[in-house]
Amino acid sequence: MTWARAILLTMTFSTIATALQASVTKAPFGKTQDGTPVEIYTITSGKAEARIMTYGARVVSLKVPDRDGKVGDVVLGYNSVAEYQADPSTYFGSIVGRYGNRLAKGTFAIDGKEYHVPVNNNGQSLHGGTLGFDKLVWTGKEIPDGVEMTLVSKDGDMGYPGTMTTHAKYTLHGATLRIDYTLSTDKTTVANITNHSYFNLSGDGSGSILDEIITIPASRYTPVTPVLIPTGIEPVAGTPFDFTKPTVIGKRIDEANEQLKIAGGYDHNWVLNGQMGVLHEAAKVEDPKSGRVLTVTTTEPGVQFYTGNFLDGTFKGKTGAVYAKHAGLCLETQHFPDSPNHPSFPSTLLKPGQPRHSTTIFTFTTEAKK
Ligand code: GLA
């Protein structure tokens, strides 16, 4: 091969590589009530588009093709920061923390010292308390194929010990959105971080998710008390919580089952069969209508499958449609709720000098009509 040919070949390969790389643009997205500017990053892969803003590190929209190649937005959300701020309780698209999900009575102990964090949900602490990570403005930085969001939560923030830094890297390849988290602290603290996007594979604002089909590779789940605090770990076999085989979400949701009654549908943590720390499947959702399929893989030990039971028609989304009960579903990959008060659950302690890494990947594909 001549030098000229070698150079030409190299150039061709690098052109292809560039073409495969997602483009990233940044734009202003208004201001929070206290005047802090918010930015939105648009990541375009050629096949899909994700928009992520610095307020709550939220996924604002995620456009992926259906079985006919028609692109549609598959996450719930709003058109302005003001609307996000007017809704304190859905957590649309956000990264929740410092302790995502619930802590019983907002109380936990580290090395014998008791801590109290704000209770904001039936006497329990939910998603980090009254001013959790979802309601703070993160710092965005463009990275190859995406954006890195960073948040520094000061020692004592919402009552938690230690200054904790969270990095969340969102990257888009084809129709795959990947989130890589790194958490670190300067004093031992507790942490549980997840993304709280609501998916509707037929499209944002298209109605209920009850006809979508879900598979969750988990033989066990954590049943809850009436205030949604886990009581322990139980098998799913023989219950409406067994999603080890593909099942229509609405099929058993109204069964006379105490756990379904307590939560008004599904709002539980499944104990994934895969090994923590290694990528494994958390859930697969198939939408017979659009043909879209979402596969979630994660390194986390659990997933909160939530069927949008508390959406009650109060809020109108991006398309102008009202979000009624079951307008979207969440797949919050996570450590188990209230872990600091359950010594048998995987530990959520975050120690100085021992950063915690985790990854969750949302892959969109399509399938033909069955
Ligand atoms: C999580 C919780 C639900 C609910 C939503 C937000 O999924 O488990 O109970 O609070 O967040 O509305």
Side-chain angles (χ1 to χ4, degrees):
M1 180 181 340
T2 64
W3 277 112
R5 203 170 135 77
I7 290 167
L8 202 74
L9 261 179
T10 318
M11 274 170 63
T12 315
F13 283 132
S14 64
T15 317
I16 293 170
T18 317
L20 289 178
Q21 235 185 27
S23 76
V24 186
T25 59
K26 171 180 153 180
F29 196 59
K31 287 182 178 157
T32 60
Q33 257 162 15
D34 70 6
T36 311
V38 174
E39 273 104 42
I40 193 157
Y41 289 79
T42 303
I43 318 169
T44 316
S45 69
K47 198 165 181 200
E49 181 204 88
R51 292 171 77 229
I52 292 141
M53 69 163 159
T54 51
Y55 177 70
R58 294 178 189 235
V59 178
V60 172
S61 65
L62 181 57
K63 293 182 181 159
V64 298
D66 68 6
R67 66 159 71 88
D68 301 319
K70 208 178 125 219
V71 169
D73 188 357
V74 292
V75 295
L76 275 51
Y78 301 115
N79 290 316
S80 68
V81 177
E83 287 166 284
Y84 280 97
Q85 287 200 290
D87 163 10
S89 58
T90 64
Y91 305 87
F92 283 155
S94 64
I95 290 181
V96 290
R98 176 179 309 198
Y99 199 95
N101 213 297
R102 291 176 178 78
L103 280 170
K105 300 190 177 103
T107 302
F108 60 91
I110 299 175
D111 296 331
K113 185 170 184 253
E114 220 175 74
Y115 292 89
H116 298 277
V117 297
V119 291
N120 54 344
N121 189 265
N122 292 319
Q124 320 305 308
S125 186
L126 175 67
H127 297 327
T130 40
L131 206 60
F133 290 6
D134 62 292
K135 296 177 180 64
L136 302 176
V137 178
W138 296 51
T139 305
K141 188 180 96 186
E142 190 182 321
I143 56 170
D145 298 316
V147 57
E148 177 174 26
M149 294 288 183
T150 299
L151 185 77
V152 178
S153 165
K154 292 257 164 66
D155 188 12
D157 178 20
M158 288 282 113
Y160 290 93
T163 294
M164 178 180 142
T165 303
T166 304
H167 296 287
K169 285 187 189 176
Y170 285 96
T171 49
L172 187 68
H173 302 102
T176 297
L177 180 67
R178 175 179 175 127
I179 316 177
D180 290 287
Y181 301 93
T182 304
L183 320 179
S184 57
T185 185
D186 64 358
K187 275 187 204 158
T188 303
T189 188
V190 295
N192 194 24
I193 299 288
T194 190
N195 178 276
H196 203 299
S197 286
Y198 289 63
F199 298 97
N200 186 323
L201 297 185
S202 287
D204 172 28
S206 69
S208 155
I209 47 80
L210 292 184
D211 293 336
E212 297 183 11
I213 298 163
I214 194 163
T215 314
I216 306 177
S219 322
R220 297 174 301 158
Y221 79 122
T222 52
V224 289
T225 66
V227 290
L228 305 184
I229 297 295
T231 53
I233 298 180
E234 296 287 337
V236 293
T239 77
F241 291 81
D242 187 349
F243 286 108
T244 50
K245 293 200 180 68
T247 308
V248 174
I249 294 171
K251 189 173 171 210
R252 303 168 301 190
I253 203 167
D254 292 320
E255 277 184 11
N257 171 285
E258 200 206 330
Q259 285 296 315
L260 288 171
K261 284 226 175 74
I262 287 177
Y266 296 101
D267 187 2
H268 294 77
N269 170 67
W270 271 256
V271 177
L272 295 169
N273 291 341
Q275 196 191 328
M276 178 167 79
V278 179
L279 275 174
H280 52 268
E281 200 170 302
K284 181 175 175 186
V285 184
E286 299 162 84
D287 177 32
K289 232 199 290 175
S290 65
R292 290 192 184 96
V293 178
L294 164 61
T295 307
V296 184
T297 52
T298 189
T299 57
E300 288 288 343
V303 66
Q304 185 87 6
F305 169 43
Y306 170 57
T307 43
N309 313 328
F310 302 124
L311 299 175
D312 61 1
T314 308
F315 299 109
K316 253 191 205 164
K318 281 171 280 181
T319 65
V322 164
Y323 290 137
K325 190 170 183 179
H326 309 315
L329 63 90
C330 300
L331 294 163
E332 302 155 57
T333 53
Q334 61 183 3
H335 276 54
F336 309 163
D338 199 32
S339 293
N341 298 311
H342 296 261
S344 65
F345 290 179
S347 172
T348 49
L349 279 183
L350 183 68
K351 296 182 178 165
Q354 297 177 24
R356 190 197 301 163
H357 301 282
S358 68
T359 298
T360 294
I361 304 175
F362 301 96
T363 303
F364 294 87
T365 52
T366 57
E367 61 187 15
K369 261 206 172 91
K370 283 181 183 164

